[in-house]
Amino acid sequence: MNDHVTATRSIRRRLIVRLLASAAILAVILFLVVQSFGRQLGQESQDNILAASVTSVLDAVTVQDGALNVDIPYSAFSMLGNISDDRVFYRIEQNQAYLTGYEDLPFAEGLTTESQPAFATEQYLGEDIRLVTASRKLSLNNQPVVVRATIAQTRNGQKQTLRQISQTVLFLGIGFFAIAMVLTFYAAQSTIGPLRRLAASVSRRGPQDLRPVESPVPSEMVPLVRSLNQFIGRLKKSLSQSEEFIAEAAHRVRTPLATVRMQAEVTLRRVERDENREALREMIRAIDESSRAAGQLLDHAMVTFRTDHLVVESFDFQVLVDELVTRLRPIAELKEIDLGWQMGKPALIKGDAILIQNAVRKLIDNAIKYSPTESSIKLTLSQGRSGISLQLIDQGIGFPEKDFELLTDRFVRGSNAQDTIGSGLGLTIADDVANAHGGSLELKNNTEGVGACVTFYLPLR
Amino acid sequence: MRYLLFALALGMFPTLGFSFEVDNRRIFSAQTESQVLKVISTADLDLFAGVIEAFQSQNPSVSVDYFEVSSTELVKALVEDDAQFDLAVSSAMDLQTKLANDGMALPFRSEFTAQLPEWAHWQDLVFAFTQEPAALVFSARDFDRQSVPRTRQDLIAFMRSHPMQFKNRVGTYDIRSSGLGYLFATQDARTSETYWRLAEVMGNMNAQLYCCSGKMIEDVGSGKLAFAYNVLGSYAAAQTNNQDDIIIVEPSDFTTLMLRSALIPKNAKQPQLAGLFIDHLLSFSLEASKAGDFPFPTLQRDVLEQETALRPIRLGPGLMVYLDRLKRKNFLKAWENAILQKQ
Ligand SMILES: Nc1ncnc2c1ncn2[C@@H]1O[C@H](COP(=O)(O)OP(=O)(O)OP(=O)(O)O)[C@@H](O)[C@H]1O
Ligand SMILES: [Mg+2]
């Protein structure tokens, strides 16, 4: 069976990668949005307090004794100190001429109306400052004067707050991502859950279990399961067809051959001339050979087919051997060969009984075939810790010395088997069956005396 | 003695190429000098010497070059003359704040500065290390220790009911020339309207104006003055020779606390050493065991919780308001109207 399936990247991995990527993108967006929101908010609160400050300064502008007087309220600056420890600068002008404060302080351009202060971010004394400029019109000696006040503050407090917000949001983002990660794994796991369950339930099935999948599956998997069920159906059909075909073929080949052989024998009795009789004997031998070859070929086809679909069940190996011995004893007795077999302890084993029976039959068959008349064959079943082995010892011609291993190959016959009818498939079948069960077939000659010693080993699993 | 003392008590002497006036200068030489710390300060050299010597006993290789100046000269030295000093110590909180605000100070951070309460420092630039009350000092000849007025209202009532006794015998700072006097007056005016009524009444008594706390205390002690208003209580208590002649009262309606403060000027050559000295100054307040050796009242970190009448002047940009040219003009005008009665 071919277990190799080309795998592309797993669905779970893909799901996880995509979900995590989107979670990461969301976390970054969250971070950036909240950060810019925080920046805006910080800016706004600083602007608000600067505006309040500049308003209170402008409110304190009065005309006294024909001159402008500015009496800056204490709160104008102390309120700035209340929100942060930032440095404060100011400048007050009358009709664009310096009145008091920091003479070189920049001011915000684009002052439109009196009620709307203008804001700007500038550099002053080597630091970033946020400044507000507002103006107020007064009448001085019946002449309009414009008083313009600018209040500025460094932005360290705001930057500090922003740093804190950024840090908090960073943790928030990381936390968000962590939670998303957990959820992602969970989601991926539960998404492929039904797929896994399906795979598990299908691979858990025995080889003979060809029922369609009936447990409910998510709608996305319905087409897959439907095709799978159809496929199972086709497989089931073709399996039963092959089995039927093999049985049918065996029947169709053997029946006419048997008829031909019978006719040949009948004819042989009637024919008198020696050369004709010889020809008929040759014919009968060829028919026997064909019949045997057909039988072996069909057995081999059956074994090959079945080893792909082992029907594993538990059975007593000893009983199996016993039945075979009983069935084959008459054949052995034709050659006056004694089949030595004794029942012992039960030998339970797991495997395909039909195949094993077939294999053992081939081995007993060989032993009988390659033994002389009036000899004996000894069968012993021995049970070890890891497996059970059946040993067959005969007193026949034994295996030829060279090319031992090749005898299990298809259609290979030994040099010692010229006179016997055979097709070279018996050991192939026995070996295939042993291998299909994880066991082995060992061929050797008896160390003492003549004959072959064949060991058929099956592991217990 | 581990170090030599050079007393250069020359009154005013020219400082090479600089225009600021030095009242007093002394070099506290280390025996094996490796570093020199240049301090410019408004604190009385004699009061401060002990603090410097204590510093040198811990840092024996540091010489201290101490310049005693007035608060305005201190600003002049740092801003106009761009003179090089490692540490500036001043009682003029407003000027210290402005120096820091205008970028004239270097930041400093240590485990000591971290322990300061919020109101006792501004940013990492200005650090307060004393709290000195603006007190009333009465002459023991005119007042009984038990029945002495304890609030401004009482004082006003007392003066109104005994006008003859106080005529020409009331003393206070001339805030036009005294930075500390101006600071106290502006804070008083900010805290309570009573200040203006009191100034008015003191004006009626033809108040005597002084440049400094020392002279005022002296005149109260001698009986020339019946009382003096807004005198540095710490100075009064330090003048031990006339303790029996004066009664020091911290008004119970409110007592303004001046915080002497230190900063590291931006062109300091030894900012690290200056930081060490700041830590030394703060240690007197922060380490209970050292408080007794300090010539000034130490900072009480929990002063705001304990005594509601005590109001430390807050370091911060608010102080800069009174330094505004126009604001100062307005304030002085109002003060002159009240005290000098020259309508
Ligand atoms: N018991 C045995 N004693 C001696 N030689 C054996 C024995 N069993 C098998 N062999 C040798 O191994 C060869 C292969 O045996 P295998 O059973 O595969 O073929 P086969 O018996 O010749 O033909 P068939 O397929 O009809 O059984 C035989 O031709 C024979 O030479
Ligand atoms: Mg055979």
Side-chain angles (χ1 to χ4, degrees):
Chain A
M1 240 202 295
N2 189 1
D3 268 350
H4 182 73
V5 178
T6 321
T8 58
R9 243 164 5 112
S10 95
I11 295 182
R12 185 163 161 267
R13 270 261 290 290
R14 277 189 228 192
L15 253 177
I16 288 174
V17 166
R18 296 216 178 141
L19 286 177
L20 283 187
S22 29
I25 290 169
L26 280 180
V28 170
I29 289 174
L30 177 83
F31 176 75
L32 293 178
V33 165
V34 179
Q35 201 193 33
S36 89
F37 189 62
R39 181 175 292 140
Q40 201 179 323
L41 220 66
Q43 183 87 84
E44 253 167 42
S45 70
Q46 189 176 32
D47 285 359
N48 284 343
I49 200 131
L50 279 170
S53 172
V54 80
T55 308
S56 74
V57 168
L58 284 176
D59 281 349
V61 179
T62 51
V63 176
Q64 260 176 25
D65 311 328
L68 269 191
N69 190 16
V70 189
D71 192 38
I72 304 172
Y74 176 80
S75 61
F77 289 0
S78 70
M79 73 167 97
L80 295 172
N82 281 344
I83 53 158
S84 68
D85 264 354
D86 272 301
R87 290 155 65 181
V88 173
F89 309 103
Y90 69 103
R91 164 164 125 175
I92 300 168
E93 295 149 302
Q94 170 183 357
N95 286 343
Q96 319 249 324
Y98 169 76
L99 204 56
T100 183
Y102 292 72
E103 207 165 347
D104 53 350
L105 185 70
F107 57 88
E109 313 267 358
L111 203 58
T112 47
T113 56
E114 202 174 304
S115 54
Q116 281 294 314
F119 297 93
T121 306
E122 298 273 352
Q123 280 266 319
Y124 185 64
L125 296 178
E127 277 210 70
D128 265 359
I129 53 166
R130 182 71 179 169
L131 55 85
V132 60
T133 302
S135 68
R136 184 178 157 198
K137 278 204 190 77
L138 285 102
S139 168
L140 182 65
N141 305 329
N142 293 324
Q143 294 287 313
V145 284
V146 178
V147 179
R148 187 168 68 180
T150 300
I151 311 260
Q153 201 181 17
T154 53
R155 307 172 74 206
N156 297 328
Q158 202 204 326
K159 284 178 187 161
Q160 173 81 22
T161 330
L162 194 63
R163 262 197 300 279
Q164 276 163 3
I165 292 178
S166 294
Q167 206 173 41
T168 315
V169 181
L170 190 70
F171 286 134
L172 196 77
I174 291 172
F176 172 83
F177 186 70
I179 293 171
M181 211 147 88
V182 173
L183 292 180
T184 293
F185 277 101
Y186 175 73
Q189 206 69 29
S190 63
T191 303
I192 58 146
L195 212 59
R196 282 208 166 150
R197 277 196 293 280
L198 177 71
S201 84
V202 170
S203 60
R204 243 198 335 264
R205 288 172 171 221
Q208 237 45 15
D209 185 356
L210 291 177
R211 288 169 304 149
V213 175
E214 262 154 7
S215 54
V217 291
S219 54
E220 289 85 351
M221 281 168 59
V222 167
L224 172 70
V225 171
R226 190 176 290 143
S227 328
L228 182 67
N229 282 346
Q230 282 167 2
F231 180 74
I232 291 174
R234 282 204 302 276
L235 180 67
K236 197 171 169 184
K237 205 163 147 200
S238 85
L239 273 181
S240 60
Q241 276 175 352
S242 322
E243 273 171 37
E244 276 166 28
F245 177 80
I246 291 169
E248 181 75 18
H251 182 66
R252 295 224 174 182
V253 172
R254 277 192 185 131
T255 316
L257 277 179
T259 316
V260 172
R261 192 182 192 277
M262 216 172 70
Q263 293 297 333
E265 267 178 14
V266 170
T267 316
L268 180 65
R269 268 179 238 139
R270 285 201 218 119
V271 173
E272 310 243 314
R273 277 176 61 184
D274 271 355
E275 52 198 275
N276 287 348
R277 286 178 73 90
E278 191 53 32
L280 271 174
R281 272 197 203 97
E282 279 295 309
M283 197 172 138
I284 289 170
R285 193 182 145 89
I287 290 168
D288 279 349
E289 206 145 343
S290 307
S291 170
R292 170 130 195 131
Q296 291 290 81
L297 273 171
L298 290 170
D299 278 354
H300 183 255
M302 191 271 285
V303 165
T304 309
F305 173 75
R306 258 187 110 95
T307 49
D308 276 353
H309 313 277
L310 283 183
V311 181
V312 178
E313 59 198 353
S314 194
F315 64 91
D316 190 345
F317 196 7
Q318 182 178 233
V319 174
L320 184 142
V321 175
D322 189 58
E323 278 171 12
L324 269 178
V325 168
T326 315
R327 208 180 310 162
L328 292 178
R329 188 162 272 138
I331 300 173
E333 276 164 4
L334 285 180
K335 282 179 88 175
E336 289 179 49
I337 292 173
D338 174 46
L339 279 184
W341 163 249
Q342 216 122 46
M343 287 282 275
K345 286 186 293 181
L348 278 181
I349 196 154
K350 278 200 178 115
D352 191 323
I354 293 180
L355 286 184
I356 293 169
Q357 191 202 45
N358 213 304
V360 175
R361 184 209 289 270
K362 301 290 173 220
L363 297 178
I364 301 177
D365 180 64
N366 276 352
I368 296 173
K369 200 157 78 174
Y370 299 107
S371 290
T373 46
E374 288 182 48
S375 64
S376 71
I377 298 168
K378 207 174 126 207
L379 287 89
T380 21
L381 199 61
S382 56
Q383 199 164 341
R385 193 171 299 164
S386 59
I388 298 175
S389 43
L390 174 69
Q391 201 170 51
L392 300 97
I393 299 176
D394 60 40
Q395 297 168 337
I397 54 177
F399 292 106
E401 283 304 316
K402 56 174 186 137
D403 299 339
F404 243 57
E405 308 77 32
L406 294 180
L407 294 179
T408 51
D409 285 358
R410 267 187 268 172
F411 305 113
V412 176
R413 308 201 63 211
S415 52
N416 55 351
Q418 307 298 356
D419 307 334
T420 41
I421 294 174
S423 48
L425 282 173
L427 289 184
T428 313
I429 289 169
D431 192 48
D432 282 354
V433 170
N435 288 336
H437 287 83
S440 62
L441 181 71
E442 191 192 31
L443 311 177
K444 58 181 188 198
N445 284 323
N446 288 324
T447 42
E448 298 154 21
V450 291
C453 172
V454 178
T455 313
F456 181 76
Y457 167 79
L458 290 177
L460 282 173
R461 291 207 211 187
Chain B
M1 284 263 268
R2 300 221 318 276
Y3 44 83
L4 302 165
L5 296 182
F6 287 96
L8 300 167
L10 297 177
M12 287 164 236
F13 53 86
T15 326
L16 293 166
F18 295 134
S19 62
F20 68 95
E21 284 176 7
V22 178
D23 295 341
N24 219 341
R25 179 183 179 185
R26 188 188 293 173
I27 300 172
F28 296 78
S29 273
Q31 209 147 43
T32 50
E33 171 185 307
S34 63
Q35 288 164 302
V36 180
L37 183 71
K38 277 182 84 181
V39 180
I40 187 165
S41 164
T42 63
D44 213 272
L45 201 161
D46 295 326
L47 274 179
F48 218 72
V51 177
I52 294 172
E53 282 158 15
F55 178 73
Q56 284 183 316
S57 71
Q58 282 162 30
N59 304 276
S61 65
V62 179
S63 292
V64 177
D65 191 358
Y66 188 86
F67 291 70
E68 186 191 324
V69 295
S70 75
S71 56
T72 43
E73 293 303 309
L74 187 148
V75 174
K76 202 168 156 193
L78 294 180
V79 179
E80 284 172 29
D81 293 349
D82 212 14
Q84 182 269 315
F85 282 101
D86 300 312
L87 192 70
V89 176
S90 173
S91 52
M93 299 170 69
D94 43 4
L95 295 175
Q96 293 280 82
T97 306
K98 187 160 161 62
L99 279 175
N101 190 70
D102 294 359
M104 302 297 293
L106 293 179
F108 170 66
R109 221 175 282 195
S110 75
E111 62 176 289
F112 284 100
T113 64
Q115 292 176 55
L116 281 179
E118 229 263 292
W119 48 267
H121 68 102
W122 188 58
Q123 298 194 2
D124 295 329
L125 301 172
V126 187
F127 308 97
F129 62 96
T130 68
Q131 62 176 54
E132 306 179 36
L136 292 167
V137 177
F138 295 96
S139 156
R141 281 168 224 215
D142 294 76
F143 291 92
D144 184 49
R145 267 179 211 277
Q146 269 70 47
S147 59
V148 67
R150 301 208 165 261
T151 66
R152 288 173 179 76
Q153 283 85 351
D154 288 355
L155 189 60
I156 290 167
F158 209 97
M159 278 194 282
R160 281 195 173 140
S161 52
H162 307 83
M164 293 321 289
Q165 191 185 343
F166 292 101
K167 197 79 188 171
N168 300 326
R169 294 186 63 224
V170 174
T172 188
Y173 276 116
D174 184 348
I175 68 168
R176 292 165 303 185
S177 58
S178 162
L180 184 59
Y182 181 71
L183 181 64
F184 278 151
T186 51
Q187 290 298 318
D188 282 358
R190 191 172 77 76
T191 312
S192 165
E193 274 300 313
T194 322
Y195 173 74
W196 290 116
R197 282 203 289 132
L198 179 64
E200 198 87 21
V201 177
M202 286 198 295
N204 284 339
M205 301 298 151
N206 191 25
Q208 307 297 302
L209 302 179
Y210 288 81
C211 75
C212 332
S213 282
K215 185 82 177 91
M216 256 191 285
I217 296 158
E218 208 173 284
D219 284 355
V220 175
S222 71
K224 196 176 157 216
L225 293 178
F227 78 89
Y229 178 72
N230 270 358
V231 179
L232 265 189
S234 46
Y235 268 66
Q239 291 200 343
T240 44
N241 51 349
N242 52 10
Q243 282 304 300
D244 292 339
D245 304 332
I246 59 172
I247 306 163
I248 305 167
V249 171
E250 295 182 3
S252 60
D253 48 347
F254 66 89
T255 301
T256 308
L257 295 179
M258 179 271 282
L259 313 179
R260 216 174 278 270
S261 61
L263 59 81
I264 305 173
K266 73 159 189 261
N267 53 5
K269 276 201 187 118
Q270 303 274 14
Q272 243 152 328
L273 204 58
L276 216 60
F277 198 88
I278 289 177
D279 281 349
H280 173 66
L281 290 175
L282 296 179
S283 70
F284 290 101
S285 297
L286 299 174
E287 289 172 6
S289 59
K290 291 177 80 175
D293 308 331
F294 204 43
F296 305 100
T298 55
L299 273 180
Q300 305 297 314
R301 273 181 286 177
D302 49 1
V303 67
L304 291 181
E305 291 97 75
Q306 279 190 342
E307 291 221 39
T308 45
L310 294 182
R311 307 253 162 122
I313 302 173
R314 276 181 181 269
L315 285 165
L319 284 178
M320 285 166 46
V321 167
Y322 297 102
L323 294 177
D324 180 72
R325 196 174 62 84
L326 296 176
K327 180 86 182 178
R328 185 175 161 87
K329 209 173 85 186
N330 286 326
F331 191 88
L332 290 182
K333 205 162 119 199
W335 180 83
E336 282 173 347
N337 283 343
I339 288 277
L340 301 179
Q341 313 263 308
K342 49 165 199 187
Q343 240 82 347

